[in-house]
Amino acid sequence: MNPAVRLPGFAPLMLLGALAVLGLLIVLPLGVVFQQALSQGLGRYLEPLTHPDSLAAIRLTLLVAAISVPLNAVFGVAAAWAIARFEFRGKSLLVTFIDLPFSMSPVVSGLVWVLLFGAQGWFGPWLMEHNVKIIFATSGLVLATVLVTLPFVARELIPLMQDQGADEEAAALTLGAGGWTTFRRVTLPNIRWALLYGVLLCNARAMGEFGAVSVVSGSIRGQTTTLPLHVEVLYNDYEFVGAFAAASVLAGLGLVTLVLKSFLEWRHSGELSASRRH
Amino acid sequence: MNFRPADDTSAATALEIKGVSKAFGRFPALKSVSLQAREREFLALLGPSGSGKTTLLRVLAGLETPDSGEVRFGGEDFLALPVRRRRVGMVFQHYALFRHMTVAQNIAFGLTVRKAAERPSKSEIADRVNNLLQLVQLEGLDKRYPSQLSGGQRQRVALARALAIEPRMLLLDEPFGALDAQVRRELRRWLRELHDRAGVTTVFVTHDQEEALDLADRVAILKDGELVQLGTPNEVYENPADPFVFDFLGQTCRMPGVVAQGRLQVADWVSEAPAGAPQGAVEVFFRPDEVSFGAPDAPGLLAQVKGVAQRGPDVRIDCRVGEADVEFQAHGPTLPQGVGAGRSVRVLPLRPQVYAA
């Protein structure tokens, strides 16, 4: 900020107001989560977390993220590359569709899979015949998560790759590099930090998603409950400490993501898309 | 590197472009362009933006595929070769240096991506990089990143990177486009010397006529995707094929005239029509500084001097000729004899070009 600019007299008041809102809506609830979780001591805090159902929920959450995040990273890079480098029919339609999960309620993103693969769905009878379970199973959770997190990587890469242009890749080709070498040695290094940024946000959402997965999960304890669903199950059972303990893990995950995200924005702002630069 | 002195007399045709057309959607970027470049020739593709010159360059590099036509290099069908097998060194308008690699890594790139069997050893690559750094006068900057270099330095790195693969042909897209005027002039000389030493056929694209005329062995002038004229700088400057070329190559005075029975009449000036001039209504073109001034009874266009303005080494002379305002130019510290505001003079175009109206 220019030091010569003087803040108007009511600025402190506005600042205080903003801080109050921030405290009331963000800091206070976050504090409550940890306060409730630890209200009966560290022992009572860790106990529900080490319960087999909780461990299963954590494992499942990690598994779903471990499958859906790489899928989205590959899709995101491919889509961004196609969109930023080529002119083709239906390009703007593709861009619009990538954004769809952002504007659509996650419940719908879950429901579509039930309509397709559920017992009453289009492919339900066929899947039943062949003994393939998608709804109320891990694959359903992955599908729902992939759909909800679809825009994260692609949205991050498209503006950056459009901004960088295709000249470096063209230069690599004229210098004798093949397609794969060009991708590995020129394209990928140019987008690595933006890719990491997108993957980070995608991962946070994949682990924290509730609406879409709750539709396809069926909440079978120890089998199809991910961590966010597990919180709800415990809460509905009046196991408040357990619910808040599980919630604190999610909240902690969010804080770690925030720190990493801020670090990327601070350290590598030049290599993120323009909208992320500070 | 294999440096040979340029030797134009024995040069054979290296590059042959025949009937190349290319359209982007419904916009025709190139319309059946044909031209040749000799071995070790420095050829300029000159034209305004949208004339197709960059598209033609990218066709040569293999970055665009023409809709029809032929491109041969050294007798070989170039269009059948993918980009990476053509071994053309291309310098992009904005250099396209690999931003995450150092200067040395940038220059070595074309060597390090070769298949293991054809790849020089690490020490050979390092030697080559050092030689090239010396050649482009950037010793000591090998560990810098592109973002730490000035525009002129980046351009020289791009050139060194292109030369590293010992290209059969060098392609330069607006090589001076992004540089300021001072650096531009210095680099122009230097690039010409480099070309003469490296002895590689070079094609460069520019929209700056001064640059093309100063630098190239031959100039190909393009307009709306068509080749309008091809010749040495002197040929095209002294004998522009049409009004467009005349206008594009420098400042222009144009006046309507009539050719009849071997005589050319412009306003009140009648002279012998140049050989091959079209009959009837014509447009007469001449350069504002290729004129001589004489007394009112001398031959030439009768002009009323309205004003005189000194601009650096040049003098601008605003005149009224018949119904039109015309601006002439003179060089040197003193005004031509008899010229002064408010006076009448005769202005004789020394090398008028006559085109059909």
Side-chain angles (χ1 to χ4, degrees), chain B residues 283-301:
Chain B
E283 295 259 31
V284 179
F285 283 69
F286 54 93
R287 303 283 173 211
D289 59 344
E290 292 184 347
V291 291
S292 72
F293 295 90
D297 57 350
L301 297 155

Side-chain angles (χ1 to χ4, degrees), chain A residues 3 33 39 46 58 60 86 105 108-109 189 212 222 225 232-233 236 254 266:
Chain A
V33 168
S39 61
L46 289 175
I58 292 172
L60 185 63
F86 301 99
S105 164
V108 181
S109 306
T225 48
E232 196 209 18
V233 169
N236 287 344
W266 166 66

